[in-house]
Amino acid sequence: MEYENTWVLFGDGGAVARKSIEAEHHYISLQIQTHGDGAFTLVIEAGIEAISVELQSKTLEEALQEADGFSRDYFRDKARLFDEISDRI
């Protein structure tokens, strides 16, 4: 499986878009889900950790942009946390 920083769109159903990313042999999966009512959920799977977040977007295009922004902020916050931990060791 190739890991690219590109959203892959699906047809109707629960999962509407998926993006896979590889960094330093860690595989990250981003998935946008919907239940057909215009509400979107972002699911991030990174190793044994998984989170889901309700997005505020009303369209898929907005949801893709919001998911990218949230994911960047999420991983930047985690990186800052690990930097702080390493500084305290």
Side-chain angles (χ1 to χ4, degrees):
M1 173 182 232
E2 280 189 37
Y3 293 89
E4 296 183 7
N5 188 13
T6 305
W7 285 104
V8 176
L9 303 180
F10 298 99
D12 297 332
V16 294
R18 184 175 192 91
K19 180 190 282 195
S20 299
I21 302 158
E22 178 184 5
E24 296 289 328
H25 304 293
H26 294 275
Y27 303 100
I28 312 301
S29 171
L30 308 177
Q31 184 174 357
I32 296 178
Q33 301 174 347
T34 186
H35 300 289
D37 56 0
F40 296 96
T41 303
L42 168 64
V43 178
I44 300 174
E45 297 173 342
I48 61 171
E49 183 178 355
I51 66 163
S52 64
V53 177
E54 292 291 325
L55 301 175
Q56 302 298 312
S57 302
K58 299 299 180 201
T59 67
L60 179 56
E61 183 176 328
E62 291 172 352
L64 296 173
Q65 293 175 357
E66 184 181 356
D68 281 341
F70 178 89
S71 299
R72 276 190 295 274
D73 291 345
Y74 174 79
F75 285 106
R76 283 182 182 139
D77 288 346
K78 287 203 100 32
R80 280 192 291 272
L81 172 64
F82 288 121
D83 280 344
E84 185 176 332
I85 291 169
S86 68
D87 288 346
R88 293 181 184 204
I89 294 175

Coordinates of all heavy atoms in Angstrom, one line a residue:
M1 N 0.8 -1.2 0.0 CA 0.0 0.0 0.0 C 0.9 1.2 0.0 O 1.8 1.4 0.8 CB -0.9 0.0 1.2 CG -1.7 1.2 1.4 SD -2.7 1.1 2.9 CE -4.3 1.5 2.3
E2 N 0.6 2.2 -0.9 CA 1.4 3.4 -0.9 C 0.7 4.4 0.1 O -0.5 4.4 0.2 CB 1.3 4.0 -2.3 CG 2.3 3.4 -3.2 CD 2.4 4.2 -4.5 OE1 2.4 5.4 -4.5 OE2 2.6 3.5 -5.5
Y3 N 1.5 5.2 0.7 CA 1.1 6.2 1.6 C 1.3 7.5 1.0 O 2.4 8.0 0.9 CB 1.7 6.0 3.0 CG 1.3 4.7 3.7 CD1 2.0 3.6 3.4 CD2 0.2 4.7 4.5 CE1 1.7 2.4 4.0 CE2 -0.2 3.5 5.0 CZ 0.5 2.4 4.8 OH 0.1 1.2 5.4
E4 N 0.2 8.2 0.7 CA 0.3 9.5 0.1 C -0.5 10.5 0.9 O -1.5 10.1 1.5 CB -0.2 9.5 -1.4 CG 0.7 8.6 -2.3 CD 0.2 8.7 -3.7 OE1 -0.7 9.5 -4.0 OE2 0.7 7.9 -4.5
N5 N -0.1 11.7 0.8 CA -0.8 12.8 1.5 C -2.0 13.3 0.6 O -2.0 14.5 0.2 CB 0.1 13.9 1.9 CG -0.5 15.0 2.7 OD1 -1.6 14.7 3.3 ND2 0.2 16.1 2.9
T6 N -2.9 12.4 0.2 CA -4.0 12.8 -0.7 C -5.3 12.1 -0.2 O -5.3 11.0 0.2 CB -3.7 12.2 -2.1 OG1 -2.4 12.8 -2.5 CG2 -4.7 12.6 -3.1
W7 N -6.3 12.9 -0.2 CA -7.6 12.4 0.2 C -8.1 11.5 -0.9 O -8.1 11.9 -2.1 CB -8.6 13.5 0.5 CG -8.4 14.2 1.8 CD1 -7.8 15.4 2.0 CD2 -8.7 13.7 3.1 NE1 -7.8 15.7 3.3 CE2 -8.3 14.6 4.0 CE3 -9.3 12.5 3.5 CZ2 -8.5 14.5 5.4 CZ3 -9.4 12.3 4.9 CH2 -9.0 13.3 5.8
V8 N -8.6 10.3 -0.6 CA -9.3 9.4 -1.5 C -10.7 9.4 -1.2 O -11.1 9.1 0.0 CB -8.7 8.0 -1.4 CG1 -9.4 7.0 -2.3 CG2 -7.2 7.9 -1.7
L9 N -11.6 9.8 -2.2 CA -13.0 9.9 -1.9 C -13.7 8.6 -2.3 O -13.3 7.9 -3.2 CB -13.6 11.0 -2.7 CG -13.0 12.4 -2.5 CD1 -13.6 13.4 -3.4 CD2 -13.0 12.8 -1.1
F10 N -14.7 8.2 -1.5 CA -15.5 7.1 -1.7 C -16.9 7.5 -2.0 O -17.3 8.6 -1.9 CB -15.6 6.2 -0.4 CG -14.2 5.7 0.0 CD1 -13.5 6.3 1.0 CD2 -13.6 4.6 -0.6 CE1 -12.2 5.9 1.4 CE2 -12.4 4.1 -0.3 CZ -11.7 4.8 0.7
G11 N -17.8 6.5 -2.5 CA -19.2 6.8 -2.8 C -20.0 6.9 -1.5 O -19.5 7.2 -0.4
D12 N -21.3 6.7 -1.7 CA -22.2 6.8 -0.5 C -21.8 5.7 0.5 O -21.4 4.7 0.2 CB -23.6 6.6 -1.0 CG -24.1 7.7 -2.0 OD1 -23.5 8.8 -1.9 OD2 -24.9 7.4 -2.8
G13 N -22.1 6.1 1.7 CA -21.8 5.1 2.8 C -21.2 5.9 4.0 O -21.1 7.1 4.0
G14 N -20.8 5.2 5.0 CA -20.3 5.8 6.2 C -19.0 6.5 6.0 O -18.8 7.6 6.5
A15 N -18.0 5.9 5.4 CA -16.7 6.5 5.1 C -16.7 7.2 3.8 O -17.0 6.6 2.8 CB -15.6 5.5 5.2
V16 N -16.5 8.5 3.8 CA -16.5 9.2 2.5 C -15.1 9.7 2.0 O -15.0 9.9 0.9 CB -17.4 10.5 2.7 CG1 -18.9 10.1 2.9 CG2 -16.9 11.4 3.8
A17 N -14.1 9.7 2.9 CA -12.8 10.0 2.4 C -11.7 9.4 3.4 O -12.0 9.2 4.6 CB -12.6 11.6 2.4
R18 N -10.6 9.1 2.8 CA -9.5 8.5 3.6 C -8.2 9.1 3.1 O -8.0 9.3 1.9 CB -9.6 7.0 3.5 CG -8.5 6.3 4.3 CD -8.8 4.8 4.2 NE -8.0 4.1 5.2 CZ -8.4 3.8 6.4 NH1 -9.6 4.1 6.8 NH2 -7.7 3.2 7.3
K19 N -7.3 9.3 4.0 CA -5.9 9.7 3.7 C -4.9 8.9 4.6 O -5.2 8.7 5.7 CB -5.7 11.2 4.0 CG -4.4 11.8 3.7 CD -4.2 13.2 4.2 CE -4.9 14.2 3.3 NZ -4.4 15.6 3.6
S20 N -3.9 8.4 4.0 CA -2.9 7.7 4.7 C -1.5 8.4 4.6 O -1.2 8.9 3.5 CB -2.7 6.3 4.1 OG -3.9 5.6 4.3
I21 N -0.8 8.4 5.7 CA 0.5 9.1 5.7 C 1.5 8.2 6.4 O 1.2 7.6 7.4 CB 0.3 10.5 6.5 CG1 -0.7 11.3 5.8 CG2 1.7 11.2 6.6 CD1 -1.3 12.4 6.7
E22 N 2.7 8.2 5.9 CA 3.8 7.5 6.6 C 4.9 8.5 7.0 O 5.3 9.4 6.2 CB 4.4 6.5 5.6 CG 5.6 5.7 6.3 CD 6.2 4.7 5.3 OE1 5.9 4.7 4.1 OE2 7.1 4.0 5.7
A23 N 5.4 8.4 8.2 CA 6.5 9.2 8.7 C 7.3 8.4 9.6 O 6.8 7.9 10.7 CB 5.9 10.4 9.4
E24 N 8.6 8.2 9.3 CA 9.5 7.5 10.1 C 9.0 6.1 10.5 O 9.0 5.7 11.7 CB 9.9 8.2 11.4 CG 10.6 9.5 11.1 CD 12.0 9.3 10.7 OE1 12.7 8.3 11.1 OE2 12.5 10.2 9.9
H25 N 8.4 5.4 9.5 CA 7.9 4.0 9.7 C 6.6 4.0 10.6 O 6.3 3.0 11.1 CB 8.9 3.1 10.3 CG 10.1 3.0 9.4 ND1 10.1 2.5 8.1 CD2 11.4 3.4 9.6 CE1 11.3 2.6 7.6 NE2 12.1 3.1 8.5
H26 N 6.0 5.2 10.8 CA 4.7 5.2 11.5 C 3.7 5.5 10.5 O 3.8 6.4 9.6 CB 4.7 6.3 12.6 CG 5.7 6.0 13.7 ND1 5.4 5.3 14.8 CD2 7.0 6.4 13.9 CE1 6.4 5.2 15.6 NE2 7.4 5.9 15.0
Y27 N 2.6 4.8 10.6 CA 1.5 4.9 9.6 C 0.3 5.6 10.2 O -0.2 5.1 11.3 CB 1.2 3.6 9.0 CG 2.4 2.9 8.4 CD1 3.1 1.9 9.1 CD2 2.8 3.3 7.1 CE1 4.2 1.3 8.5 CE2 3.9 2.7 6.6 CZ 4.6 1.7 7.3 OH 5.7 1.2 6.7
I28 N -0.1 6.7 9.6 CA -1.2 7.5 10.1 C -2.4 7.4 9.1 O -2.2 7.5 7.9 CB -0.8 9.0 10.3 CG1 0.5 9.1 11.0 CG2 -1.9 9.8 10.9 CD1 0.6 8.6 12.4
S29 N -3.6 7.1 9.7 CA -4.8 7.0 8.8 C -5.7 8.1 9.3 O -6.1 8.2 10.5 CB -5.4 5.7 9.0 OG -6.7 5.6 8.4
L30 N -6.2 8.9 8.3 CA -7.2 9.9 8.6 C -8.5 9.5 7.8 O -8.3 9.1 6.6 CB -6.8 11.3 8.1 CG -5.5 11.8 8.6 CD1 -5.2 13.2 8.0 CD2 -5.4 11.9 10.1
Q31 N -9.6 9.5 8.4 CA -10.8 9.0 7.7 C -11.9 10.0 8.1 O -12.1 10.4 9.3 CB -11.2 7.6 8.2 CG -12.4 7.1 7.5 CD -12.7 5.6 7.8 OE1 -11.9 5.0 8.5 NE2 -13.7 5.1 7.3
I32 N -12.7 10.4 7.1 CA -13.9 11.3 7.3 C -15.1 10.4 7.1 O -15.2 9.7 6.1 CB -13.9 12.5 6.4 CG1 -12.7 13.4 6.7 CG2 -15.2 13.2 6.6 CD1 -12.6 14.6 5.8
Q33 N -16.0 10.4 8.1 CA -17.2 9.6 8.1 C -18.4 10.5 8.2 O -18.3 11.6 8.7 CB -17.2 8.6 9.3 CG -16.1 7.7 9.3 CD -16.1 6.8 10.6 OE1 -16.8 7.1 11.5 NE2 -15.2 5.8 10.6
T34 N -19.5 10.0 7.6 CA -20.8 10.8 7.8 C -21.9 9.8 8.0 O -21.8 8.6 7.6 CB -21.0 11.7 6.5 OG1 -22.2 12.4 6.8 CG2 -21.2 10.8 5.3
H35 N -23.0 10.3 8.5 CA -24.1 9.4 8.7 C -25.3 9.9 7.9 O -26.4 9.6 8.1 CB -24.5 9.4 10.2 CG -23.4 8.9 11.1 ND1 -23.0 7.5 11.1 CD2 -22.6 9.5 11.9 CE1 -22.0 7.4 11.9 NE2 -21.7 8.5 12.4
G36 N -24.9 10.7 6.8 CA -25.9 11.1 5.9 C -26.7 12.3 6.2 O -27.5 12.8 5.5
D37 N -26.5 12.9 7.4 CA -27.2 14.1 7.8 C -26.4 15.3 7.7 O -26.8 16.4 8.2 CB -27.7 13.9 9.2 CG -26.6 13.6 10.2 OD1 -25.4 13.6 9.8 OD2 -26.9 13.5 11.4
G38 N -25.3 15.3 6.9 CA -24.5 16.5 6.7 C -23.5 16.7 7.8 O -22.8 17.7 7.8
A39 N -23.5 15.8 8.8 CA -22.5 15.9 9.9 C -21.3 15.0 9.5 O -21.5 13.9 9.1 CB -23.1 15.5 11.2
F40 N -20.1 15.6 9.8 CA -18.9 14.8 9.4 C -18.1 14.6 10.7 O -18.0 15.4 11.6 CB -18.0 15.6 8.4 CG -18.7 15.8 7.1 CD1 -19.4 17.0 6.8 CD2 -18.6 14.8 6.1 CE1 -20.0 17.2 5.6 CE2 -19.2 15.0 4.9 CZ -19.9 16.2 4.6
T41 N -17.5 13.4 10.7 CA -16.6 13.0 11.8 C -15.2 12.7 11.3 O -15.1 11.9 10.3 CB -17.2 11.8 12.6 OG1 -18.5 12.1 13.0 CG2 -16.3 11.4 13.7
L42 N -14.2 13.2 11.9 CA -12.8 12.8 11.6 C -12.3 11.8 12.5 O -12.4 11.9 13.7 CB -11.9 14.1 11.7 CG -10.4 13.8 11.6 CD1 -10.0 13.3 10.2 CD2 -9.6 15.1 11.9
V43 N -11.8 10.7 12.0 CA -11.1 9.6 12.8 C -9.7 9.6 12.4 O -9.3 9.5 11.3 CB -11.8 8.3 12.5 CG1 -11.1 7.2 13.3 CG2 -13.3 8.3 12.8
I44 N -8.8 9.7 13.5 CA -7.4 9.7 13.3 C -6.9 8.4 14.0 O -7.2 8.2 15.2 CB -6.6 10.9 13.9 CG1 -7.1 12.2 13.3 CG2 -5.1 10.7 13.8 CD1 -6.6 13.4 13.9
E45 N -6.2 7.6 13.2 CA -5.6 6.3 13.8 C -4.1 6.5 13.6 O -3.6 6.6 12.5 CB -6.1 5.1 13.1 CG -7.6 4.9 13.3 CD -8.2 3.8 12.5 OE1 -7.5 3.3 11.5 OE2 -9.3 3.3 12.8
A46 N -3.4 6.4 14.7 CA -1.9 6.5 14.7 C -1.4 5.5 15.7 O -1.3 5.7 16.9 CB -1.5 7.9 15.1
G47 N -0.9 4.4 15.1 CA -0.4 3.3 16.0 C -1.6 2.7 16.8 O -2.6 2.4 16.3
I48 N -1.4 2.7 18.1 CA -2.4 2.1 19.0 C -3.4 3.2 19.5 O -4.4 2.9 20.1 CB -1.8 1.4 20.2 CG1 -1.0 2.4 21.1 CG2 -1.0 0.2 19.8 CD1 -0.5 1.8 22.4
E49 N -3.1 4.4 19.1 CA -4.0 5.6 19.5 C -5.0 5.9 18.4 O -4.7 5.9 17.2 CB -3.1 6.8 19.7 CG -3.8 8.0 20.2 CD -2.9 9.2 20.5 OE1 -1.7 9.0 20.4 OE2 -3.4 10.2 20.8
A50 N -6.2 6.2 18.8 CA -7.3 6.6 17.8 C -8.1 7.6 18.5 O -8.5 7.5 19.7 CB -8.1 5.4 17.4
I51 N -8.5 8.6 17.8 CA -9.4 9.6 18.3 C -10.5 9.9 17.2 O -10.2 9.7 16.0 CB -8.7 11.0 18.7 CG1 -8.1 11.7 17.4 CG2 -7.7 10.7 19.7 CD1 -7.8 13.1 17.7
S52 N -11.6 10.4 17.6 CA -12.6 10.9 16.6 C -13.1 12.3 17.1 O -13.2 12.5 18.3 CB -13.7 9.9 16.5 OG -14.4 9.8 17.7
V53 N -13.4 13.1 16.1 CA -13.8 14.5 16.4 C -14.9 14.8 15.5 O -14.9 14.6 14.3 CB -12.6 15.5 16.1 CG1 -13.0 16.9 16.3 CG2 -11.4 15.1 17.0
E54 N -16.0 15.5 16.0 CA -17.0 16.0 15.2 C -16.6 17.3 14.5 O -16.1 18.2 15.2 CB -18.3 16.3 16.0 CG -19.0 15.0 16.6 CD -19.6 14.2 15.5 OE1 -20.2 14.7 14.5 OE2 -19.6 12.9 15.6
L55 N -16.7 17.3 13.2 CA -16.3 18.5 12.4 C -17.5 19.5 12.4 O -18.6 19.0 12.4 CB -15.8 18.1 11.1 CG -14.6 17.2 11.0 CD1 -14.3 16.8 9.6 CD2 -13.4 17.8 11.7
Q56 N -17.2 20.7 12.2 CA -18.2 21.8 12.1 C -18.7 22.0 10.7 O -19.7 22.7 10.5 CB -17.7 23.1 12.7 CG -17.2 23.0 14.2 CD -18.4 22.6 15.1 OE1 -19.4 23.1 15.0 NE2 -18.1 21.6 15.9
S57 N -18.0 21.4 9.8 CA -18.2 21.7 8.3 C -19.6 21.1 7.9 O -20.1 20.1 8.4 CB -17.2 21.0 7.5 OG -15.9 21.5 7.8
K58 N -20.2 21.8 6.9 CA -21.5 21.3 6.4 C -21.3 20.7 5.0 O -22.3 20.0 4.5 CB -22.4 22.5 6.3 CG -22.7 23.1 7.6 CD -23.4 22.1 8.6 CE -23.7 22.8 9.9 NZ -23.8 21.8 11.0
T59 N -20.2 20.9 4.3 CA -20.0 20.2 3.0 C -18.7 19.4 3.1 O -17.8 19.6 4.0 CB -19.8 21.3 1.9 OG1 -18.6 22.0 2.1 CG2 -21.0 22.2 1.9
L60 N -18.6 18.5 2.2 CA -17.4 17.6 2.2 C -16.1 18.4 1.9 O -15.1 18.2 2.6 CB -17.6 16.5 1.1 CG -16.4 15.5 1.0 CD1 -16.0 14.9 2.3 CD2 -16.6 14.5 -0.1
E61 N -16.2 19.3 1.0 CA -15.0 20.2 0.7 C -14.5 20.9 1.9 O -13.3 20.9 2.2 CB -15.3 21.2 -0.4 CG -14.1 22.0 -0.8 CD -14.4 22.9 -2.0 OE1 -15.3 22.6 -2.8 OE2 -13.8 24.0 -2.0
E62 N -15.4 21.5 2.7 CA -15.1 22.1 3.9 C -14.5 21.1 5.0 O -13.6 21.4 5.7 CB -16.3 22.9 4.5 CG -16.8 24.1 3.8 CD -18.1 24.6 4.3 OE1 -18.7 24.0 5.2 OE2 -18.5 25.7 3.8
A63 N -15.1 20.0 5.0 CA -14.7 18.9 6.0 C -13.3 18.5 5.7 O -12.5 18.3 6.6 CB -15.7 17.7 5.9
L64 N -12.9 18.3 4.4 CA -11.5 18.0 4.1 C -10.5 19.0 4.5 O -9.5 18.7 5.1 CB -11.4 17.8 2.5 CG -12.2 16.6 1.9 CD1 -12.1 16.7 0.4 CD2 -11.8 15.3 2.5
Q65 N -10.9 20.3 4.3 CA -10.0 21.4 4.8 C -9.9 21.4 6.3 O -8.8 21.6 6.9 CB -10.4 22.7 4.2 CG -10.3 22.8 2.7 CD -10.9 24.1 2.2 OE1 -11.4 24.9 2.9 NE2 -10.7 24.3 0.9
E66 N -11.1 21.3 7.0 CA -11.1 21.3 8.4 C -10.3 20.1 9.0 O -9.6 20.3 10.0 CB -12.5 21.3 8.9 CG -12.6 21.4 10.4 CD -14.1 21.4 10.9 OE1 -15.0 21.4 10.1 OE2 -14.2 21.4 12.2
A67 N -10.5 19.0 8.4 CA -9.8 17.8 8.9 C -8.3 17.9 8.8 O -7.5 17.6 9.7 CB -10.2 16.5 8.1
D68 N -7.8 18.5 7.6 CA -6.4 18.7 7.5 C -5.8 19.7 8.5 O -4.8 19.5 9.2 CB -6.1 19.3 6.1 CG -6.0 18.2 5.0 OD1 -5.9 17.0 5.3 OD2 -6.2 18.6 3.8
G69 N -6.6 20.8 8.8 CA -6.2 21.8 9.8 C -6.1 21.2 11.2 O -5.2 21.4 11.9
F70 N -7.2 20.5 11.5 CA -7.3 19.9 12.9 C -6.1 18.9 13.0 O -5.4 18.9 14.1 CB -8.6 19.2 13.1 CG -8.7 18.5 14.4 CD1 -9.1 19.2 15.5 CD2 -8.3 17.2 14.6 CE1 -9.1 18.6 16.8 CE2 -8.3 16.6 15.8 CZ -8.7 17.3 16.9
S71 N -5.9 18.0 12.0 CA -4.8 17.0 12.1 C -3.5 17.6 12.3 O -2.6 17.2 13.1 CB -4.9 16.1 10.9 OG -6.1 15.5 10.8
R72 N -3.2 18.7 11.5 CA -1.9 19.4 11.7 C -1.7 19.9 13.1 O -0.7 19.7 13.7 CB -1.8 20.5 10.7 CG -1.3 20.1 9.3 CD -0.9 21.3 8.4 NE -2.1 22.1 8.1 CZ -2.9 21.9 7.1 NH1 -2.7 20.9 6.3 NH2 -4.0 22.7 6.9
D73 N -2.7 20.6 13.6 CA -2.7 21.2 15.0 C -2.5 20.0 16.0 O -1.8 20.2 17.0 CB -3.9 22.0 15.3 CG -4.0 23.3 14.4 OD1 -3.0 23.7 13.9 OD2 -5.1 23.9 14.4
Y74 N -3.2 19.0 15.8 CA -3.2 17.8 16.8 C -1.8 17.3 16.9 O -1.3 17.1 18.0 CB -4.2 16.7 16.3 CG -4.1 15.5 17.1 CD1 -4.7 15.4 18.4 CD2 -3.4 14.4 16.7 CE1 -4.7 14.2 19.1 CE2 -3.4 13.2 17.4 CZ -4.0 13.1 18.6 OH -4.0 12.0 19.4
F75 N -1.1 17.0 15.7 CA 0.2 16.4 15.8 C 1.3 17.5 16.2 O 2.2 17.1 16.8 CB 0.5 15.8 14.4 CG -0.2 14.5 14.3 CD1 -1.2 14.3 13.4 CD2 0.2 13.4 15.1 CE1 -1.9 13.1 13.3 CE2 -0.5 12.2 14.9 CZ -1.5 12.0 14.1
R76 N 1.1 18.8 15.9 CA 2.0 19.8 16.4 C 1.9 19.9 17.9 O 2.9 20.0 18.6 CB 1.7 21.1 15.7 CG 2.2 21.2 14.3 CD 1.9 22.6 13.7 NE 2.3 22.6 12.3 CZ 1.7 23.2 11.3 NH1 0.5 23.7 11.6 NH2 2.1 23.1 10.1
D77 N 0.7 19.8 18.5 CA 0.5 19.8 19.9 C 1.2 18.6 20.6 O 1.8 18.7 21.6 CB -1.0 19.9 20.3 CG -1.6 21.2 20.0 OD1 -0.9 22.2 19.7 OD2 -2.9 21.3 20.0
K78 N 1.1 17.5 19.9 CA 1.7 16.3 20.5 C 3.2 16.4 20.4 O 3.9 16.0 21.4 CB 1.3 15.0 19.7 CG -0.1 14.6 20.0 CD -0.4 13.2 19.7 CE -0.4 12.1 20.7 NZ -0.8 12.1 22.0
A79 N 3.8 17.0 19.4 CA 5.2 17.2 19.2 C 5.7 18.1 20.3 O 6.7 17.9 20.9 CB 5.5 17.8 17.8
R80 N 5.0 19.2 20.6 CA 5.3 20.1 21.7 C 5.3 19.4 23.0 O 6.2 19.7 23.8 CB 4.4 21.4 21.7 CG 4.7 22.4 20.6 CD 4.0 23.7 20.9 NE 2.6 23.6 20.6 CZ 2.0 23.7 19.5 NH1 2.7 24.1 18.4 NH2 0.7 23.6 19.3
L81 N 4.4 18.6 23.2 CA 4.3 17.8 24.5 C 5.5 17.0 24.7 O 6.2 16.9 25.7 CB 3.0 17.0 24.5 CG 2.9 16.0 25.7 CD1 2.9 16.7 27.0 CD2 1.7 15.1 25.5
F82 N 5.9 16.2 23.6 CA 7.1 15.4 23.7 C 8.4 16.2 23.8 O 9.3 15.7 24.5 CB 7.2 14.4 22.5 CG 6.1 13.3 22.5 CD1 5.2 13.2 21.5 CD2 6.1 12.5 23.6 CE1 4.2 12.2 21.6 CE2 5.1 11.5 23.7 CZ 4.2 11.3 22.6
D83 N 8.4 17.4 23.2 CA 9.6 18.2 23.4 C 9.7 18.7 24.9 O 10.8 18.6 25.5 CB 9.5 19.5 22.6 CG 10.0 19.2 21.1 OD1 10.6 18.2 20.9 OD2 9.6 20.1 20.3
E84 N 8.6 19.0 25.5 CA 8.6 19.4 26.9 C 9.0 18.3 27.8 O 9.7 18.4 28.7 CB 7.2 19.9 27.3 CG 7.1 20.5 28.7 CD 5.8 21.1 29.1 OE1 5.1 21.6 28.2 OE2 5.5 21.1 30.3
I85 N 8.5 17.1 27.5 CA 8.8 15.9 28.3 C 10.3 15.6 28.2 O 11.0 15.4 29.2 CB 8.0 14.7 27.8 CG1 6.5 14.8 28.2 CG2 8.6 13.4 28.5 CD1 5.6 13.8 27.6
S86 N 10.9 15.7 27.0 CA 12.3 15.4 26.8 C 13.1 16.5 27.5 O 14.2 16.2 28.0 CB 12.7 15.3 25.3 OG 12.5 16.5 24.7
D87 N 12.7 17.7 27.5 CA 13.4 18.8 28.2 C 13.5 18.5 29.7 O 14.4 19.0 30.4 CB 12.8 20.2 27.9 CG 13.1 20.6 26.5 OD1 13.9 20.0 25.8 OD2 12.4 21.6 26.1
R88 N 12.4 17.9 30.3 CA 12.4 17.7 31.7 C 13.1 16.4 32.2 O 13.2 16.2 33.4 CB 10.9 17.6 32.1 CG 10.2 18.9 32.0 CD 8.8 18.9 32.4 NE 8.1 20.1 32.2 CZ 7.0 20.5 32.8 NH1 6.5 19.8 33.7 NH2 6.5 21.7 32.5
I89 N 13.5 15.6 31.2 CA 14.2 14.4 31.6 C 15.7 14.7 32.0 O 16.3 15.4 31.4 CB 14.2 13.3 30.5 CG1 12.7 12.9 30.3 CG2 15.1 12.1 30.7 CD1 12.5 12.0 29.1

